[in-house]
Amino acid sequence: MLLVDIDQIQRDLSSYGWIKQVRVSRQLPDKLFIEIGERKPVAVWQHDGNYKLLDDQGKVLESISEGEIGNLPVVNGPNANKQLVSLGELLDKAQSLKSQIAGATWVGNRRWNLRFKSGETLALPEGEELAAQALVNFTRMDGIHRLLERNIIHFDLRDPDRMYMREAPADAKPLSESW
């Protein structure tokens, strides 16, 4: 038992993506204790045609197939995984819409486009404060005017003074049927 390299075991176990924290200890004469804390997947990062599970800090856990995504939101765009914490903080400001988010795209390494489960896209301005303010305003407007699940496919809030909306083409199926 004295020859067991506890530090090496801890380093080896820490190298696995799913392991968040590990503690290794020994109890002489013959016991080795290993405590492991797992990371939990909260999103899927779609990048370069691959899908990777992410934890709440944006750490890649493992690659998965498209069929394994399930109900997890999908983020895409270069470095979208590194922005997952800020996306979570942004969505926390709009609790009533948070459960309706299907995914998000990190655009130009500076701002988010949100995709709703009902099919609409919401373009947010760059900057954490402006994006949060725009999302809170959109949440309030949706609460009053029921903007989602109508005949609008795109909301653009990048201009702080206006909201631009794009309607679905007249011959298109309703958004709720196309998803």
PDB file of all heavy atoms in Angstrom, residues 77-108:
ATOM      1  N   GLY A  77     -21.163  27.604 -33.201  1.00  0.00           N
ATOM      2  CA  GLY A  77     -20.311  28.737 -33.479  1.00  0.00           C
ATOM      3  C   GLY A  77     -18.946  28.514 -32.854  1.00  0.00           C
ATOM      4  O   GLY A  77     -18.822  27.838 -31.838  1.00  0.00           O
ATOM      5  N   PRO A  78     -17.916  29.098 -33.493  1.00  0.00           N
ATOM      6  CA  PRO A  78     -16.572  28.981 -32.922  1.00  0.00           C
ATOM      7  C   PRO A  78     -16.535  29.570 -31.510  1.00  0.00           C
ATOM      8  O   PRO A  78     -17.067  30.649 -31.269  1.00  0.00           O
ATOM      9  CB  PRO A  78     -15.698  29.805 -33.878  1.00  0.00           C
ATOM     10  CG  PRO A  78     -16.499  29.934 -35.131  1.00  0.00           C
ATOM     11  CD  PRO A  78     -17.939  29.852 -34.732  1.00  0.00           C
ATOM     12  N   ASN A  79     -15.943  28.844 -30.594  1.00  0.00           N
ATOM     13  CA  ASN A  79     -15.787  29.269 -29.196  1.00  0.00           C
ATOM     14  C   ASN A  79     -17.102  29.392 -28.433  1.00  0.00           C
ATOM     15  O   ASN A  79     -17.118  29.970 -27.344  1.00  0.00           O
ATOM     16  CB  ASN A  79     -15.009  30.584 -29.097  1.00  0.00           C
ATOM     17  CG  ASN A  79     -13.616  30.454 -29.652  1.00  0.00           C
ATOM     18  OD1 ASN A  79     -12.930  29.479 -29.377  1.00  0.00           O
ATOM     19  ND2 ASN A  79     -13.202  31.420 -30.448  1.00  0.00           N
ATOM     20  N   ALA A  80     -18.183  28.868 -28.957  1.00  0.00           N
ATOM     21  CA  ALA A  80     -19.468  28.924 -28.230  1.00  0.00           C
ATOM     22  C   ALA A  80     -19.362  28.203 -26.893  1.00  0.00           C
ATOM     23  O   ALA A  80     -19.981  28.620 -25.914  1.00  0.00           O
ATOM     24  CB  ALA A  80     -20.583  28.320 -29.077  1.00  0.00           C
ATOM     25  N   ASN A  81     -18.569  27.148 -26.840  1.00  0.00           N
ATOM     26  CA  ASN A  81     -18.398  26.425 -25.574  1.00  0.00           C
ATOM     27  C   ASN A  81     -17.771  27.319 -24.504  1.00  0.00           C
ATOM     28  O   ASN A  81     -18.118  27.237 -23.337  1.00  0.00           O
ATOM     29  CB  ASN A  81     -17.561  25.164 -25.776  1.00  0.00           C
ATOM     30  CG  ASN A  81     -16.149  25.453 -26.265  1.00  0.00           C
ATOM     31  OD1 ASN A  81     -15.937  26.312 -27.127  1.00  0.00           O
ATOM     32  ND2 ASN A  81     -15.198  24.744 -25.739  1.00  0.00           N
ATOM     33  N   LYS A  82     -16.882  28.213 -24.896  1.00  0.00           N
ATOM     34  CA  LYS A  82     -16.215  29.100 -23.937  1.00  0.00           C
ATOM     35  C   LYS A  82     -17.143  30.214 -23.454  1.00  0.00           C
ATOM     36  O   LYS A  82     -16.828  30.898 -22.490  1.00  0.00           O
ATOM     37  CB  LYS A  82     -14.961  29.693 -24.556  1.00  0.00           C
ATOM     38  CG  LYS A  82     -13.907  28.644 -24.859  1.00  0.00           C
ATOM     39  CD  LYS A  82     -12.713  29.242 -25.551  1.00  0.00           C
ATOM     40  CE  LYS A  82     -11.710  28.134 -25.883  1.00  0.00           C
ATOM     41  NZ  LYS A  82     -10.624  28.644 -26.708  1.00  0.00           N
ATOM     42  N   GLN A  83     -18.269  30.398 -24.130  1.00  0.00           N
ATOM     43  CA  GLN A  83     -19.232  31.438 -23.761  1.00  0.00           C
ATOM     44  C   GLN A  83     -20.448  30.878 -23.040  1.00  0.00           C
ATOM     45  O   GLN A  83     -21.401  31.598 -22.781  1.00  0.00           O
ATOM     46  CB  GLN A  83     -19.677  32.193 -25.019  1.00  0.00           C
ATOM     47  CG  GLN A  83     -18.559  32.904 -25.736  1.00  0.00           C
ATOM     48  CD  GLN A  83     -17.898  33.944 -24.862  1.00  0.00           C
ATOM     49  OE1 GLN A  83     -18.560  34.656 -24.115  1.00  0.00           O
ATOM     50  NE2 GLN A  83     -16.583  34.025 -24.928  1.00  0.00           N
ATOM     51  N   LEU A  84     -20.421  29.584 -22.718  1.00  0.00           N
ATOM     52  CA  LEU A  84     -21.594  28.937 -22.131  1.00  0.00           C
ATOM     53  C   LEU A  84     -21.967  29.519 -20.768  1.00  0.00           C
ATOM     54  O   LEU A  84     -23.148  29.660 -20.457  1.00  0.00           O
ATOM     55  CB  LEU A  84     -21.369  27.426 -22.024  1.00  0.00           C
ATOM     56  CG  LEU A  84     -22.627  26.602 -21.834  1.00  0.00           C
ATOM     57  CD1 LEU A  84     -23.556  26.746 -23.030  1.00  0.00           C
ATOM     58  CD2 LEU A  84     -22.281  25.148 -21.631  1.00  0.00           C
ATOM     59  N   VAL A  85     -20.998  29.895 -19.968  1.00  0.00           N
ATOM     60  CA  VAL A  85     -21.289  30.485 -18.655  1.00  0.00           C
ATOM     61  C   VAL A  85     -22.026  31.807 -18.835  1.00  0.00           C
ATOM     62  O   VAL A  85     -23.055  32.055 -18.197  1.00  0.00           O
ATOM     63  CB  VAL A  85     -20.002  30.686 -17.825  1.00  0.00           C
ATOM     64  CG1 VAL A  85     -20.287  31.480 -16.559  1.00  0.00           C
ATOM     65  CG2 VAL A  85     -19.387  29.339 -17.472  1.00  0.00           C
ATOM     66  N   SER A  86     -21.539  32.652 -19.754  1.00  0.00           N
ATOM     67  CA  SER A  86     -22.208  33.946 -19.972  1.00  0.00           C
ATOM     68  C   SER A  86     -23.593  33.751 -20.584  1.00  0.00           C
ATOM     69  O   SER A  86     -24.517  34.505 -20.268  1.00  0.00           O
ATOM     70  CB  SER A  86     -21.354  34.873 -20.838  1.00  0.00           C
ATOM     71  OG  SER A  86     -21.207  34.370 -22.142  1.00  0.00           O
ATOM     72  N   LEU A  87     -23.769  32.716 -21.412  1.00  0.00           N
ATOM     73  CA  LEU A  87     -25.100  32.425 -21.955  1.00  0.00           C
ATOM     74  C   LEU A  87     -26.048  32.019 -20.833  1.00  0.00           C
ATOM     75  O   LEU A  87     -27.190  32.467 -20.782  1.00  0.00           O
ATOM     76  CB  LEU A  87     -25.029  31.328 -23.016  1.00  0.00           C
ATOM     77  CG  LEU A  87     -26.364  30.871 -23.597  1.00  0.00           C
ATOM     78  CD1 LEU A  87     -27.078  32.014 -24.320  1.00  0.00           C
ATOM     79  CD2 LEU A  87     -26.164  29.686 -24.532  1.00  0.00           C
ATOM     80  N   GLY A  88     -25.582  31.186 -19.925  1.00  0.00           N
ATOM     81  CA  GLY A  88     -26.409  30.779 -18.788  1.00  0.00           C
ATOM     82  C   GLY A  88     -26.819  31.963 -17.931  1.00  0.00           C
ATOM     83  O   GLY A  88     -27.970  32.069 -17.510  1.00  0.00           O
ATOM     84  N   GLU A  89     -25.883  32.867 -17.685  1.00  0.00           N
ATOM     85  CA  GLU A  89     -26.192  34.072 -16.906  1.00  0.00           C
ATOM     86  C   GLU A  89     -27.199  34.954 -17.642  1.00  0.00           C
ATOM     87  O   GLU A  89     -28.097  35.527 -17.025  1.00  0.00           O
ATOM     88  CB  GLU A  89     -24.912  34.857 -16.622  1.00  0.00           C
ATOM     89  CG  GLU A  89     -23.989  34.149 -15.652  1.00  0.00           C
ATOM     90  CD  GLU A  89     -22.605  34.768 -15.554  1.00  0.00           C
ATOM     91  OE1 GLU A  89     -22.305  35.737 -16.310  1.00  0.00           O
ATOM     92  OE2 GLU A  89     -21.805  34.278 -14.733  1.00  0.00           O
ATOM     93  N   LEU A  90     -27.063  35.043 -18.962  1.00  0.00           N
ATOM     94  CA  LEU A  90     -28.001  35.819 -19.767  1.00  0.00           C
ATOM     95  C   LEU A  90     -29.404  35.216 -19.684  1.00  0.00           C
ATOM     96  O   LEU A  90     -30.382  35.925 -19.443  1.00  0.00           O
ATOM     97  CB  LEU A  90     -27.516  35.861 -21.223  1.00  0.00           C
ATOM     98  CG  LEU A  90     -28.419  36.556 -22.229  1.00  0.00           C
ATOM     99  CD1 LEU A  90     -28.485  38.053 -21.956  1.00  0.00           C
ATOM    100  CD2 LEU A  90     -27.904  36.310 -23.644  1.00  0.00           C
ATOM    101  N   LEU A  91     -29.511  33.906 -19.856  1.00  0.00           N
ATOM    102  CA  LEU A  91     -30.818  33.246 -19.829  1.00  0.00           C
ATOM    103  C   LEU A  91     -31.454  33.274 -18.442  1.00  0.00           C
ATOM    104  O   LEU A  91     -32.684  33.241 -18.335  1.00  0.00           O
ATOM    105  CB  LEU A  91     -30.703  31.813 -20.338  1.00  0.00           C
ATOM    106  CG  LEU A  91     -30.303  31.670 -21.815  1.00  0.00           C
ATOM    107  CD1 LEU A  91     -30.146  30.207 -22.186  1.00  0.00           C
ATOM    108  CD2 LEU A  91     -31.289  32.366 -22.720  1.00  0.00           C
ATOM    109  N   ASP A  92     -30.642  33.366 -17.407  1.00  0.00           N
ATOM    110  CA  ASP A  92     -31.186  33.477 -16.049  1.00  0.00           C
ATOM    111  C   ASP A  92     -31.980  34.767 -15.860  1.00  0.00           C
ATOM    112  O   ASP A  92     -32.830  34.858 -14.988  1.00  0.00           O
ATOM    113  CB  ASP A  92     -30.072  33.421 -15.000  1.00  0.00           C
ATOM    114  CG  ASP A  92     -29.546  32.011 -14.793  1.00  0.00           C
ATOM    115  OD1 ASP A  92     -30.243  31.042 -15.199  1.00  0.00           O
ATOM    116  OD2 ASP A  92     -28.440  31.866 -14.241  1.00  0.00           O
ATOM    117  N   LYS A  93     -31.733  35.748 -16.691  1.00  0.00           N
ATOM    118  CA  LYS A  93     -32.448  37.026 -16.602  1.00  0.00           C
ATOM    119  C   LYS A  93     -33.833  36.956 -17.260  1.00  0.00           C
ATOM    120  O   LYS A  93     -34.616  37.873 -17.143  1.00  0.00           O
ATOM    121  CB  LYS A  93     -31.618  38.140 -17.242  1.00  0.00           C
ATOM    122  CG  LYS A  93     -30.311  38.373 -16.492  1.00  0.00           C
ATOM    123  CD  LYS A  93     -29.537  39.496 -17.077  1.00  0.00           C
ATOM    124  CE  LYS A  93     -28.215  39.787 -16.440  1.00  0.00           C
ATOM    125  NZ  LYS A  93     -27.771  39.151 -15.285  1.00  0.00           N
ATOM    126  N   ALA A  94     -34.112  35.852 -17.958  1.00  0.00           N
ATOM    127  CA  ALA A  94     -35.395  35.673 -18.642  1.00  0.00           C
ATOM    128  C   ALA A  94     -35.944  34.288 -18.309  1.00  0.00           C
ATOM    129  O   ALA A  94     -36.105  33.442 -19.187  1.00  0.00           O
ATOM    130  CB  ALA A  94     -35.219  35.845 -20.146  1.00  0.00           C
ATOM    131  N   GLN A  95     -36.235  34.062 -17.042  1.00  0.00           N
ATOM    132  CA  GLN A  95     -36.665  32.746 -16.576  1.00  0.00           C
ATOM    133  C   GLN A  95     -37.870  32.197 -17.329  1.00  0.00           C
ATOM    134  O   GLN A  95     -37.948  31.007 -17.594  1.00  0.00           O
ATOM    135  CB  GLN A  95     -36.963  32.788 -15.073  1.00  0.00           C
ATOM    136  CG  GLN A  95     -35.731  32.895 -14.214  1.00  0.00           C
ATOM    137  CD  GLN A  95     -34.860  31.662 -14.287  1.00  0.00           C
ATOM    138  OE1 GLN A  95     -35.340  30.538 -14.359  1.00  0.00           O
ATOM    139  NE2 GLN A  95     -33.554  31.874 -14.281  1.00  0.00           N
ATOM    140  N   SER A  96     -38.824  33.058 -17.679  1.00  0.00           N
ATOM    141  CA  SER A  96     -40.034  32.564 -18.341  1.00  0.00           C
ATOM    142  C   SER A  96     -39.754  32.050 -19.752  1.00  0.00           C
ATOM    143  O   SER A  96     -40.509  31.240 -20.272  1.00  0.00           O
ATOM    144  CB  SER A  96     -41.108  33.654 -18.379  1.00  0.00           C
ATOM    145  OG  SER A  96     -40.674  34.757 -19.148  1.00  0.00           O
ATOM    146  N   LEU A  97     -38.662  32.489 -20.365  1.00  0.00           N
ATOM    147  CA  LEU A  97     -38.319  32.021 -21.712  1.00  0.00           C
ATOM    148  C   LEU A  97     -37.258  30.921 -21.702  1.00  0.00           C
ATOM    149  O   LEU A  97     -37.093  30.223 -22.699  1.00  0.00           O
ATOM    150  CB  LEU A  97     -37.806  33.185 -22.566  1.00  0.00           C
ATOM    151  CG  LEU A  97     -38.811  34.245 -22.965  1.00  0.00           C
ATOM    152  CD1 LEU A  97     -38.131  35.318 -23.807  1.00  0.00           C
ATOM    153  CD2 LEU A  97     -39.981  33.651 -23.732  1.00  0.00           C
ATOM    154  N   LYS A  98     -36.566  30.777 -20.598  1.00  0.00           N
ATOM    155  CA  LYS A  98     -35.430  29.865 -20.527  1.00  0.00           C
ATOM    156  C   LYS A  98     -35.798  28.443 -20.963  1.00  0.00           C
ATOM    157  O   LYS A  98     -35.059  27.813 -21.708  1.00  0.00           O
ATOM    158  CB  LYS A  98     -34.865  29.868 -19.109  1.00  0.00           C
ATOM    159  CG  LYS A  98     -33.544  29.186 -18.983  1.00  0.00           C
ATOM    160  CD  LYS A  98     -32.972  29.375 -17.588  1.00  0.00           C
ATOM    161  CE  LYS A  98     -31.599  28.769 -17.490  1.00  0.00           C
ATOM    162  NZ  LYS A  98     -30.994  28.993 -16.180  1.00  0.00           N
ATOM    163  N   SER A  99     -36.924  27.947 -20.541  1.00  0.00           N
ATOM    164  CA  SER A  99     -37.328  26.581 -20.886  1.00  0.00           C
ATOM    165  C   SER A  99     -37.744  26.442 -22.346  1.00  0.00           C
ATOM    166  O   SER A  99     -37.859  25.335 -22.853  1.00  0.00           O
ATOM    167  CB  SER A  99     -38.467  26.128 -19.982  1.00  0.00           C
ATOM    168  OG  SER A  99     -39.623  26.903 -20.231  1.00  0.00           O
ATOM    169  N   GLN A 100     -37.938  27.556 -23.028  1.00  0.00           N
ATOM    170  CA  GLN A 100     -38.358  27.523 -24.426  1.00  0.00           C
ATOM    171  C   GLN A 100     -37.176  27.596 -25.400  1.00  0.00           C
ATOM    172  O   GLN A 100     -37.360  27.531 -26.605  1.00  0.00           O
ATOM    173  CB  GLN A 100     -39.313  28.681 -24.705  1.00  0.00           C
ATOM    174  CG  GLN A 100     -40.593  28.587 -23.904  1.00  0.00           C
ATOM    175  CD  GLN A 100     -41.491  29.772 -24.162  1.00  0.00           C
ATOM    176  OE1 GLN A 100     -41.801  30.069 -25.303  1.00  0.00           O
ATOM    177  NE2 GLN A 100     -41.877  30.460 -23.096  1.00  0.00           N
ATOM    178  N   ILE A 101     -35.957  27.714 -24.877  1.00  0.00           N
ATOM    179  CA  ILE A 101     -34.770  27.836 -25.717  1.00  0.00           C
ATOM    180  C   ILE A 101     -34.324  26.456 -26.194  1.00  0.00           C
ATOM    181  O   ILE A 101     -34.090  25.557 -25.394  1.00  0.00           O
ATOM    182  CB  ILE A 101     -33.614  28.526 -24.956  1.00  0.00           C
ATOM    183  CG1 ILE A 101     -34.009  29.905 -24.469  1.00  0.00           C
ATOM    184  CG2 ILE A 101     -32.346  28.579 -25.811  1.00  0.00           C
ATOM    185  CD1 ILE A 101     -34.254  30.927 -25.550  1.00  0.00           C
ATOM    186  N   ALA A 102     -34.196  26.315 -27.514  1.00  0.00           N
ATOM    187  CA  ALA A 102     -33.720  25.064 -28.094  1.00  0.00           C
ATOM    188  C   ALA A 102     -32.216  25.103 -28.319  1.00  0.00           C
ATOM    189  O   ALA A 102     -31.555  24.069 -28.342  1.00  0.00           O
ATOM    190  CB  ALA A 102     -34.421  24.788 -29.420  1.00  0.00           C
ATOM    191  N   GLY A 103     -31.681  26.309 -28.497  1.00  0.00           N
ATOM    192  CA  GLY A 103     -30.250  26.430 -28.747  1.00  0.00           C
ATOM    193  C   GLY A 103     -29.854  27.868 -28.969  1.00  0.00           C
ATOM    194  O   GLY A 103     -30.680  28.779 -28.915  1.00  0.00           O
ATOM    195  N   ALA A 104     -28.571  28.049 -29.224  1.00  0.00           N
ATOM    196  CA  ALA A 104     -28.046  29.390 -29.423  1.00  0.00           C
ATOM    197  C   ALA A 104     -26.834  29.323 -30.344  1.00  0.00           C
ATOM    198  O   ALA A 104     -26.108  28.328 -30.358  1.00  0.00           O
ATOM    199  CB  ALA A 104     -27.658  30.016 -28.092  1.00  0.00           C
ATOM    200  N   THR A 105     -26.630  30.398 -31.101  1.00  0.00           N
ATOM    201  CA  THR A 105     -25.473  30.504 -31.982  1.00  0.00           C
ATOM    202  C   THR A 105     -24.634  31.694 -31.542  1.00  0.00           C
ATOM    203  O   THR A 105     -25.150  32.802 -31.405  1.00  0.00           O
ATOM    204  CB  THR A 105     -25.920  30.696 -33.450  1.00  0.00           C
ATOM    205  OG1 THR A 105     -26.720  29.573 -33.832  1.00  0.00           O
ATOM    206  CG2 THR A 105     -24.727  30.799 -34.383  1.00  0.00           C
ATOM    207  N   TRP A 106     -23.356  31.456 -31.318  1.00  0.00           N
ATOM    208  CA  TRP A 106     -22.406  32.513 -30.968  1.00  0.00           C
ATOM    209  C   TRP A 106     -21.929  33.106 -32.290  1.00  0.00           C
ATOM    210  O   TRP A 106     -21.241  32.453 -33.065  1.00  0.00           O
ATOM    211  CB  TRP A 106     -21.273  31.919 -30.148  1.00  0.00           C
ATOM    212  CG  TRP A 106     -20.231  32.863 -29.671  1.00  0.00           C
ATOM    213  CD1 TRP A 106     -18.894  32.772 -29.937  1.00  0.00           C
ATOM    214  CD2 TRP A 106     -20.388  34.009 -28.824  1.00  0.00           C
ATOM    215  NE1 TRP A 106     -18.231  33.790 -29.311  1.00  0.00           N
ATOM    216  CE2 TRP A 106     -19.120  34.569 -28.621  1.00  0.00           C
ATOM    217  CE3 TRP A 106     -21.490  34.618 -28.224  1.00  0.00           C
ATOM    218  CZ2 TRP A 106     -18.913  35.704 -27.839  1.00  0.00           C
ATOM    219  CZ3 TRP A 106     -21.291  35.748 -27.458  1.00  0.00           C
ATOM    220  CH2 TRP A 106     -20.021  36.283 -27.269  1.00  0.00           C
ATOM    221  N   VAL A 107     -22.318  34.343 -32.560  1.00  0.00           N
ATOM    222  CA  VAL A 107     -22.107  34.973 -33.862  1.00  0.00           C
ATOM    223  C   VAL A 107     -20.919  35.927 -33.816  1.00  0.00           C
ATOM    224  O   VAL A 107     -20.890  36.842 -32.981  1.00  0.00           O
ATOM    225  CB  VAL A 107     -23.374  35.755 -34.305  1.00  0.00           C
ATOM    226  CG1 VAL A 107     -23.170  36.397 -35.661  1.00  0.00           C
ATOM    227  CG2 VAL A 107     -24.587  34.842 -34.315  1.00  0.00           C
ATOM    228  N   GLY A 108     -19.977  35.723 -34.718  1.00  0.00           N
ATOM    229  CA  GLY A 108     -18.861  36.646 -34.869  1.00  0.00           C
ATOM    230  C   GLY A 108     -18.020  36.825 -33.621  1.00  0.00           C
ATOM    231  O   GLY A 108     -17.370  37.856 -33.460  1.00  0.00           O
TER     232      GLY A 108
END
